[in-house]
Amino acid sequence: MFRIISGKWKAKKISAPKHFEVRPTTDFAKEALFSILENKYDFEYCMVLDLFAGIGSISLEFASRDCQDITSVELNPKHTAFINATAADLEMSLQMNIQRADVYDWLKKNKGRKRYDIIFADPPFDSTDESKYQELISQVLSNKYLKENAVFVLEHNSRLKLEHPNISSTRKYGNISFSFIHSGE
């Protein structure tokens, strides 16, 4: 279960079916992340890309905060159906575009089509496999998915110390961290 922290649906609790294997970003970490992002971005005018969307915790949070253009990419068909159903129940369907796809394939197929103000990714990678994180960073940056002054937020286990020249900072919240990556433009 997760809850929407703020916005139109503040404090709304959302329960995923018990058989879903997901680990939504904790409320504590999500609240801290959105506090950071709200200080820099006006969500109503942002284009957001949520990679490895899971059951939509981050996407729904953006939608609750009036973001009008959210693309969520998730491979699991049960999860995409759940996000679609939840978005419909909360009258957020017009704000959200849920894509069922492998993130890497989606990034290759859609390069050059759209650029985003905020990209968030919470990949299901093993905490010690830095190569998958580096591949993801490379795909996002080399295919120019970020607008000027945009940010790519990559969630990862705090034990993993990601290094990349475009990482401007990493914030730790318990056992998870957010690395903030900029395009360098």
Side-chain angles (χ1 to χ4, degrees), residues 91-108:
E91 299 174 352
M92 297 175 170
S93 294
L94 296 177
Q95 297 165 258
M96 298 176 64
N97 175 13
I98 294 95
Q99 301 279 310
R100 187 181 159 281
D102 173 82
V103 166
Y104 293 102
D105 292 342
W106 189 92
L107 288 169
K108 288 174 190 168

Side-chain angles (χ1 to χ4, degrees), residues 23 61 71 76 82 87 100 105 107 115 121 126 132 141 170-171:
R23 50 165 188 75
E61 188 71 42
T71 302
N76 187 313
F82 179 80
R100 187 181 159 281
D105 292 342
L107 288 169
R115 295 178 82 184
D126 181 286
K132 296 296 263 179
L141 295 179
T170 299
R171 306 278 179 97

Side-chain angles (χ1 to χ4, degrees), residues 114-152:
K114 192 172 185 179
R115 295 178 82 184
Y116 298 88
D117 299 287
I118 301 169
I119 298 175
F120 179 84
D122 180 10
F125 306 148
D126 181 286
S127 64
T128 59
D129 188 4
E130 185 176 350
S131 65
K132 296 296 263 179
Y133 289 96
Q134 293 295 341
E135 182 182 349
L136 182 60
I137 294 169
S138 176
Q139 282 261 1
V140 168
L141 295 179
S142 65
N143 291 317
K144 302 198 181 303
Y145 277 99
L146 290 172
K147 290 181 178 179
E148 189 176 339
N149 299 315
V151 66
F152 172 25

Side-chain angles (χ1 to χ4, degrees), residues 55-68:
I55 57 173
S57 170
I58 297 296
S59 294
L60 294 165
E61 188 71 42
F62 275 111
S64 179
R65 295 170 188 241
D66 288 330
C67 183
Q68 299 299 309

Side-chain angles (χ1 to χ4, degrees), residues 42-66:
D42 183 347
F43 295 148
E44 186 176 355
Y45 303 103
C46 283
M47 288 189 265
V48 173
L49 176 61
D50 184 5
L51 302 172
F52 305 97
I55 57 173
S57 170
I58 297 296
S59 294
L60 294 165
E61 188 71 42
F62 275 111
S64 179
R65 295 170 188 241
D66 288 330

